[in-house]
Amino acid sequence: ELTLSSSGVLKVSSDLAVGKRINSKGPIPVALWLSGPAKDSLSTDVLSFTVDKTEVLADEVYKIAFQLISSHIKRSVKLTAPSDPLPGETPLQALQSNITRLSWREFGKSLNTIDP
């Protein structure tokens, strides 16, 4: 979905490892970050969160991905951060409409830089 959200500016592949619940009825721990393909490439911050039901995992991942991308664009790319989602706007819709192509391109460039 991030490749589609960026209108093809970025080619995104993902590995998702969801943690195990501490007990059978507890929340599921998840950590999310985005990085370039090289082992030493830069990455976004890591955000950890929990979900109670697997049905809401996708929306939470999109929400956290938007936060990570927005924060990284503002901090590392030095562009204006995308506007926050409007009330009623889904995280996926915000990824698709609130981040400009320039921001997607600069975000991708920044993650494809090797960390010195």
Side-chain angles (χ1 to χ4, degrees), residues 20-71:
K20 296 193 187 284
R21 291 180 175 179
I22 294 173
N23 64 52
S24 62
K25 295 183 181 176
I28 303 166
V30 182
L32 181 65
W33 68 95
L34 302 166
S35 65
K39 182 179 179 181
D40 295 333
S41 61
L42 296 176
S43 72
T44 64
D45 293 332
V46 177
L47 287 180
S48 298
F49 59 100
T50 60
V51 292
D52 291 321
K53 298 178 182 179
T54 56
E55 296 83 22
V56 299
L57 181 59
D59 276 343
E60 285 299 309
V61 167
Y62 295 140
K63 178 178 143 188
I64 298 300
F66 181 86
Q67 292 172 359
L68 288 170
I69 294 165
S70 179
S71 171

